[in-house]
Amino acid sequence: MQATHEVLREGAAMENRKILIVGSGIAGPTLAWWLRRHGFEPTVVERAPSLRTGGYIVDFWGTGYDVAEQMGLLPTLSKLSLPIEEVRLVDDDGQRKGGLGGKAIRSMMRGRFLSILRSDLAATIHASLGDDVRTLFGETIVRIDQSEHGVWVEFRDRPSERFDVVIGAGGLHSPVRGLVFGAERSFEKFLGYYAASFSADDYPHRDPHAYVSYSVPGRQITRYSLVDGRTVFLLVFSAQSKLDVSPRDVRTQKDLLRREFGGKGWECNDILSRLDANPDLYFDAVSQIRMNAWSHRRTALVGDACGCPSLLAGEGSALAMAGAYTLAGKMKRSGGDHRIAFANYERLFRPLIASKQRSAERFAKSFVPGSRAGIFVRNQLTRLMNLPYVAQLTMGRMLKDPIELPVY
């Protein structure tokens, strides 16, 4: 990748070494790993008391796959990868009506593709930090005061502390974005869906190595059987507008899922009956974050906090890792000059995110068809996608990352 229009300060004395990263999902620990490697002193703060478990399955490929390889994570990630050999679309009776084999996608990606629980990916990245990076769990920030000389950060429970730079890596609901850039509603583009995920032990219906999915108009429910006896479920339903439900109101979230999927056929009632047995429910709007600028003074954003392409893009975790790698590299190349680093990071990475967001928005219209005719057409199209040239035509652009990351 040519450094066209990029301002460099190669050989300059390192400045702005002390960096606070808010969020320990995917982007946060990846950024910490690379900053530490480049000679900075990152601290990670995470609101949750520990690493989150459960969650949905993500497909992992592209530039993020390349970053994981440079970090030496691929052997572990490969062991944790899920052997999905088939995406199977079924009817009320569980009969196959469409789908495609995993071989079609893997062949397009030349084997550089895996499916993994998002929590397993996050835990692997975090484990790679070892004891080299200070991580504060069960803590969050409540105030950020920026000046020419640094950033004073006020925490909820611990004493305030000064940092040179603050990076928000807190995902779709980034607290840093809220404190520095403004309310979430100013940047969120709701795509018309809600998604939920949870797991259950000893679910009786198991199809090893198959991602089994059932649809009715405006709703889709999917399951995948893990080797440890658990089954992971993903539920998606359409909504005309954002719902008035708090992210922490788990009871209302479960009631909404029962209302949307109760009595819809196939295994819907069986799956819903497992809702209360698992405390870890993921529930959120399917939205994008679109911003005119990803940085302000000594504060910048990375991952879903600034460029969330949405769950529909299928590549959010990999893009978060690639963005973190890019930001850390720009900090190194600029000698720690945050103004130069932030500008060059955004100049390189924003076009890729904009492209992924446009693709996801187009895909949203067909992700969960709104009619039985739409479901039928979607099912038939997936059958054709088992032909390599059809798969390349329909998915090739979405799977390809039109960027080559620099080597820092």
Side-chain angles (χ1 to χ4, degrees):
M1 173 62 65
Q2 296 179 351
T4 306
H5 305 303
E6 181 172 336
V7 181
L8 305 179
R9 288 186 55 191
E10 295 286 6
M14 191 72 74
E15 58 186 69
N16 293 329
R17 296 172 60 90
K18 190 176 179 182
I19 300 176
L20 178 67
I21 302 168
V22 183
S24 186
I26 304 297
T30 302
L31 178 62
W33 194 95
W34 285 103
L35 286 174
R36 188 73 184 89
R37 180 185 177 98
H38 296 328
F40 295 91
E41 300 172 9
T43 294
V44 179
V45 60
E46 168 58 47
R47 178 176 357 196
S50 61
L51 290 177
R52 293 178 172 87
T53 59
Y56 50 89
I57 297 170
V58 298
D59 293 324
F60 191 67
W61 77 90
T63 53
Y65 193 102
D66 298 337
V67 171
E69 184 174 45
Q70 291 193 53
M71 295 171 68
L73 302 181
L74 284 188
T76 300
L77 295 179
S78 297
K79 291 178 182 178
L80 295 170
S81 67
L82 305 171
I84 299 177
E85 300 298 336
E86 176 190 7
V87 176
R88 186 188 310 163
L89 307 179
V90 302
D91 62 11
D92 285 4
D93 298 320
Q95 298 299 309
R96 190 181 190 278
K97 293 298 180 181
L100 67 157
K103 183 178 179 180
I105 296 177
R106 286 194 296 272
S107 64
M108 279 196 296
M109 304 308 297
R110 299 179 180 179
R112 297 179 66 81
F113 178 99
L114 54 85
S115 297
I116 189 170
L117 284 171
R118 188 181 184 279
S119 56
D120 284 347
L121 175 61
T124 300
I125 302 170
H126 181 78
S128 71
L129 299 178
D131 298 325
D132 293 337
V133 175
R134 179 174 61 144
T135 302
L136 310 174
F137 282 104
E139 184 59 274
T140 190
I141 59 172
V142 296
R143 185 180 176 86
I144 294 176
D145 287 323
Q146 303 188 78
S147 73
E148 293 182 7
H149 307 292
V151 186
W152 275 99
V153 177
E154 182 179 337
F155 295 95
R156 182 188 58 198
D157 298 323
R158 62 184 290 112
S160 299
E161 191 171 344
R162 181 199 171 280
F163 295 89
D164 296 315
V165 171
V166 172
I167 307 295
L172 180 64
H173 307 296
S174 166
V176 171
R177 191 184 62 234
L179 290 171
V180 175
F181 297 85
E184 185 173 301
R185 62 179 177 274
S186 301
F187 311 110
E188 181 183 14
K189 182 178 180 61
F190 177 58
L191 296 185
Y193 297 97
Y194 275 82
S197 181
F198 67 99
S199 64
D201 294 322
D202 301 321
Y203 185 70
H205 309 289
R206 297 180 62 83
D207 292 271
H209 305 171
Y211 202 67
V212 186
S213 185
Y214 168 77
S215 297
V216 293
R219 300 163 185 84
Q220 183 168 286
I221 189 165
T222 306
R223 61 169 166 81
Y224 180 80
S225 304
L226 303 178
V227 294
D228 62 2
R230 286 184 299 149
T231 300
V232 176
F233 306 102
L234 176 66
L235 300 85
V236 181
F237 64 92
S238 61
Q240 294 297 317
S241 59
K242 285 288 296 293
L243 303 175
D244 184 19
V245 53
S246 166
R248 295 175 179 78
D249 188 356
V250 178
R251 174 178 290 184
T252 298
Q253 294 169 6
K254 291 180 178 181
D255 288 343
L256 281 168
L257 293 175
R258 293 186 179 100
R259 183 191 72 190
E260 294 291 335
F261 291 93
K264 297 303 180 185
W266 188 53
E267 301 168 11
C268 287
N269 287 344
D270 285 346
I271 293 172
L272 292 174
S273 69
R274 268 71 181 177
L275 259 177
D276 290 331
N278 191 302
D280 296 322
L281 172 67
Y282 165 86
F283 183 99
D284 210 344
V286 177
S287 297
Q288 295 179 343
I289 295 296
R290 297 191 174 188
M291 305 180 69
N292 292 327
W294 293 355
S295 65
H296 177 66
R297 302 181 72 183
R298 289 178 172 270
T299 300
L301 303 172
V302 69
D304 284 353
C306 60
C308 178
S310 84
L311 179 144
L312 302 184
E315 197 183 357
S317 295
L319 290 172
M321 292 187 71
Y325 168 86
T326 302
L327 177 55
K330 298 307 181 187
M331 285 293 290
K332 176 196 177 185
R333 187 170 285 185
S334 69
D337 188 322
H338 63 284
R339 295 162 299 181
I340 295 174
F342 292 171
N344 289 335
Y345 149 66
E346 187 169 343
R347 184 179 296 116
L348 174 63
F349 212 68
R350 179 185 281 276
L352 173 62
I353 292 299
S355 172
K356 295 295 181 178
Q357 288 184 328
R358 289 192 296 268
S359 295
E361 190 173 9
R362 289 193 297 268
F363 182 57
K365 298 182 176 68
S366 59
F367 183 64
V368 181
S371 66
R372 293 196 175 277
I375 293 172
F376 175 81
V377 171
R378 188 273 313 268
N379 291 350
Q380 301 312 306
L381 179 60
T382 59
R383 289 177 179 271
L384 292 174
M385 286 170 60
N386 288 289
L387 301 173
Y389 68 91
V390 176
Q392 184 65 47
L393 179 65
T394 56
M395 297 181 65
R397 180 179 296 181
M398 189 171 183
L399 290 174
K400 184 179 180 180
D401 289 342
I403 187 176
E404 182 179 346
L405 295 179
V407 176
Y408 299 105

